[in-house]
Amino acid sequence: MQQQTEENKRKLIVRVCIGTGGLAAGGKEVIAAFKKAINDFCVDIDLDFTCHYQKVGCRGFCARDVLVDVVDGDKSVTYQGIKPDIAKRIVREHLIEGKPVTEWLIDDSYYAFHSKQHKILLKDCGTIDPEDIQAYINVGGYEGIKKILSGMTPDEVINEIKASGIRGRGGAGFPTGVKWDACRKAPGDRKYIVCNADEGDPGAFMDRSVIEGNPHSVIEGMMIAAYAIGSSLGYVYIRAEYPSAVERLKLAIAQAHEIGYLGNRVFGSDFSFDLRIKLGAGAFVCGEETALIASIEGERGMPRAKPPFPVHKGLWGMPTVINNVETLSNIPYIIRNGSAWYASIGTEKSRGTKVFALTGKVKNTGLIEVPMGIRLGEIIYDIGGGIIGNKQFKAVQLGGPSGGCIPHHLLDTPVTYEDIMQTGAIVGSGGMVVLDENDCMVNIAKFFLEFTQAESCGKCVPCRIGTKRLLEILDRFTKGLGKDGDIELLEKLCNDIKVTSLCGLGQTAPNPILSTLKYFREEYEAHIKEKRCPAKVCKDLLTYGILEEFCKGCGACLRACPAKAITGEKKKPHKLDSSICIKCGACFDVCKFKAVGRE
Amino acid sequence: MPKLTINGKTVDAPEGATVLEAARMAEIDIPTLCHHPKLTPFGGCRLCIVEIKGIPRPVTSCTTPVSEGMEVTTSSPQIEDLRKTVLELILSDHPNDCMVCERAGDCTLQEMAYTYGIRENKFAGERRVYEKKDGNPFIERDLEKCIMCGRCVKVCREVQGVEAIDFGYRGFKAKICTAYEKDLNCEFCGQCVSVCPTGALTGKMWSLKGRKKDVREVDTTCAYCGTGCNITLHVKGNEVVRVTSREDTLNEGWLCVKGRFGYKFINSPDRLTKPLIRRDGRFEEVSWEEAFDCIANKLTEIKAAFGADAIGGLSSARCTNEENYAFQKMIRAAVGTNNVDHCARL
Ligand SMILES: Cc1cc2nc3c(=O)[nH]c(=O)nc-3n(C[C@H](O)[C@H](O)[C@H](O)COP(=O)(O)O)c2cc1C
Ligand code: SF4
Ligand code: SF4
Ligand code: SF4
């Protein structure tokens, strides 16, 4: 009893991950369960300890959600895969009895997942309460803007950003300092800073996680940018499909207002700054900067020709800087720690870290932040833990619908803007999808083309009609209707679309095809010449049949077949009528004797 | 004034001009479909691409401003090949039913296809198919023929200030739409019809009345109001089958619903073409001399019996300024009263 009372004086903290992944895995329910358990036990046992809940944003390892930290004095352990019913056990065994519940503790792969990462943005993202401005201030937040307001000129800020070498994280990698400088020098009565939080790439959730986990870093980044370019009003363009990010951002803006960090004469200086949120309706093209501007202005989001560039003629015709979420949230850290610190991370031309959403066939999926220059293989095998089921790695898709697939022999490629570009892919905004031997490259290309085709704004002919024709040709391949000369036609059309399209969407839409053609041409040829899908994905190219020598006549396939294509007597080899077969694969999946063949 | 070269020829272009404008001033042709000289540049059809030294990819001449020392090439095997691909793509999503199209012979798209010799289409594929359901009285909208050049949207906004139509949907399904895709319900000025480079927009009353080659064009002045817009009557036999207006006129080719679509009265059987006098409750056709005599006698009688102020003159806003001047002169000088006005409202 005596010992317990001593223990009770410990400061105990329970942290529950409620990033998007955490919430989806039941983070809210887990919090409720902890609250209840602590409440129950406190009443019963009458313990006298303080226990906090802290809501924290995404810490990356979504595959292991819900993640819970228990901080006990200076010791901290992390649990993975926590469900509400386990909360009670953790409270009883760990919080009260001091014995961590070993079966739910994170394992070695959790450490491997983190050891090769370099977390700048995601560090605070996963540890501070995004709904409390004080939590951000406690870790040095808003020191950056204070620092520049108490003695740096806008030009000094711009030079600092230039010296850090940071390049835009929205996809194209344009040097941020150069962009700010151009805007600062452009004549205009008013200037605007716009944060691009449209994040429309399928599978990407980096920007969303940053806003949900650390919204104040984005706000501070925008303030610094505004000071540098001479703006007093900023917009965050964020898709309405991100309701919790929007809520957190609104709350963050309100809190910043409350304590005078936003509004007139910030920190008693001459600098005033306010922020507005503009909700986007979820069109991919609205991430393109001129379309984004049109959308904020209340027009249909359609790109226009550049020049004039937004830094000269942007929102409401005024000089405007548009930066990506990740770009902006890096800014406070650069100002706080100095450009030399930032420039020391990464490579000569690609500095700093990059956040990726690692998904697909790797064991450890989630949000990762890596130093630029890390090799693709390190990401996939060390951080990602390799391919699920130890299958064969086939390619990694980078840059989403504007990017491409990088094959096995290029896994040594360092993740820098130039090196990735060399492969035919792009660093892009951070989608990274790992593909294995069961992925058909024609089908992958088709997936991305379906997306770009549907998301084209329709303004220009090559993108509106051309991508549709590309999709039709790919569709023919997957159906076994490809003919000689089709690959050449596809290549020509891809190149013509790249050259003639108005905006980045059309100019990059053929990339997923061109890069798969470059590295997996034989897979395309197999579809056309042999009417065969080597990865056995394209349904129309598969035929199912029963191998009599293996068939035990158990009838499992017969019962599973929804089309009644299989007949046979018990204990005698069954027969499959391919003219009735709808190729659903149900028989293949149920047969225990590998007697169903798929070719 | 920036000096640039286009296909090796030195051209002085006004400040702020686009490469396309500079080329056209120098009588160098660049094909276009979405461009209209009176509307803001769009850059959608991509036909006007040119090569500019120092820029790695072709750019649209309609959106690129000229600058000093620019070296432009408007035609090269690569450029022509790209243009051909773009045209093939447009035509791969077009009904190609020129045989029965109102605009055949007066269609920019048809002209381009002819110039680039497009017959077979290697990109053939799905085509947009729409139900024809617009029940408005004046404008046939056959959007399967629409090439999404956006001219109609821009003219409606920039010239007419109405914004009755805009782009809708995305991707291949993108389409020019009215609000909620209801029947067009606007001013029906027909500005959109006049700028459409294809057969997507035509006058409903033009249908099967004769195409460009079948008609005689007669330039005249619109009789509806004193503005006096220049119009061109398309006459087949002795029937006016269509009204258009030339771009180089004082009204710049723009008309209102009456001028553009209100021409049916010309050939109406109800129209009066000879003077009538009512005798015993019935109208009788008479000669102009007899009608004028009748009017003069009646006016003289009334003036003698009740004085000049018992008479008033009301003329029409449809008359020209000159006609209205002559009319008030007659009422004031010949009849002797100031009771004269005209219906300024129609
Ligand atoms: C079709 C298309 C979609 C885009 N979507 C996004 C997006 O969702 N988020 C983003 O930050 N940038 C996006 N971009 C890039 C932006 O146009 C712009 O380059 C970027 O926001 C600039 O910010 P940065 O300099 O910080 O990278 C997109 C570009 C294109 C062509
Ligand atoms: S390339 Fe595509 S998205 Fe971009 S302007 Fe053209 S049609 Fe629109
Ligand atoms: S008729 Fe006139 S008002 Fe109506 S849509 Fe066309 S341009 Fe607009
Ligand atoms: S209807 Fe005619 S003017 Fe309007 S976008 Fe279509 S083709 Fe162009």
Side-chain angles (χ1 to χ4, degrees), chain A residues 281-285 299-300 302-308 452-466 468-469 472-473 476 489 492-493 495-503 507, chain B residues 41-46 49 57-58 60 63-65 78 81-83 85-93 122-128 146-148 157 166-175:
Chain A
F284 175 57
V285 73
E299 301 289 333
R300 174 179 164 96
M302 267 178 150
R304 62 155 174 78
K306 296 183 277 191
T452 30
Q453 145 56 33
E455 291 295 329
S456 156
C457 83
K459 181 171 184 172
C460 68
V461 175
C463 175
R464 182 182 75 244
I465 308 178
K468 170 80 178 171
R469 299 298 174 236
E472 286 171 346
I473 297 173
R476 289 209 293 271
L489 184 67
K492 176 179 166 44
L493 187 52
N495 289 321
D496 288 1
I497 292 172
K498 272 177 86 91
V499 176
T500 52
S501 288
L502 190 160
C503 85
Q507 288 163 10
Chain B
F42 188 63
C45 76
R46 318 305 289 170
I49 48 172
R57 52 186 301 134
T60 43
T63 58
T64 308
Q78 198 220 351
D81 186 57
L82 290 171
R83 286 180 183 150
T85 299
V86 167
L87 269 173
E88 281 177 322
L89 286 173
I90 295 177
L91 291 166
S92 74
D93 182 30
K122 54 180 177 286
F123 301 120
E126 188 188 330
R127 197 166 68 65
R128 291 162 301 161
C146 168
I147 59 167
M148 295 289 290
R157 163 184 292 205
D166 208 336
F167 297 91
Y169 304 102
R170 268 176 264 171
F172 190 67
K173 297 194 186 106
K175 182 184 179 189

Side-chain angles (χ1 to χ4, degrees), chain A residues 570-589:
Chain A
K570 258 210 145 69
K571 305 216 165 133
K572 289 200 180 134
H574 285 23
K575 283 207 160 40
L576 190 158
D577 184 344
S578 53
S579 67
I580 304 176
C581 171
I582 55 165
K583 304 181 183 183
C584 68
C587 54
F588 184 88
D589 293 339

Side-chain angles (χ1 to χ4, degrees), chain A residues 295-348:
Chain A
S295 180
I296 295 182
E297 289 174 351
E299 301 289 333
R300 174 179 164 96
M302 267 178 150
R304 62 155 174 78
K306 296 183 277 191
F309 290 95
V311 286
H312 298 122
K313 246 177 147 222
L315 189 58
W316 317 115
M318 295 294 154
T320 303
V321 162
I322 298 175
N323 273 138
N324 167 262
V325 173
E326 195 185 327
T327 316
L328 287 166
S329 75
N330 264 303
I331 301 295
Y333 297 90
I334 296 175
I335 296 293
R336 231 187 283 161
N337 303 325
S339 56
W341 160 80
Y342 190 82
S344 71
I345 309 162
T347 67
E348 163 97 43

Side-chain angles (χ1 to χ4, degrees), chain A residues 155-170:
Chain A
D155 282 326
E156 281 166 357
V157 175
I158 287 174
N159 286 337
E160 186 72 355
I161 297 301
K162 277 187 182 165
S164 77
I166 184 170
R167 296 168 62 171
R169 297 295 191 242

Side-chain angles (χ1 to χ4, degrees), chain B residues 139 152 155-157 160 162-165 184-193 201 261:
Chain B
I139 297 173
C152 54
V155 82
C156 190
R157 163 184 292 205
Q160 205 62 17
V162 172
E163 306 195 5
I165 44 179
L184 185 64
N185 184 7
C186 61
E187 293 184 0
F188 296 113
C189 63
Q191 254 60 291
C192 52
V193 177
L201 299 179
F261 294 122

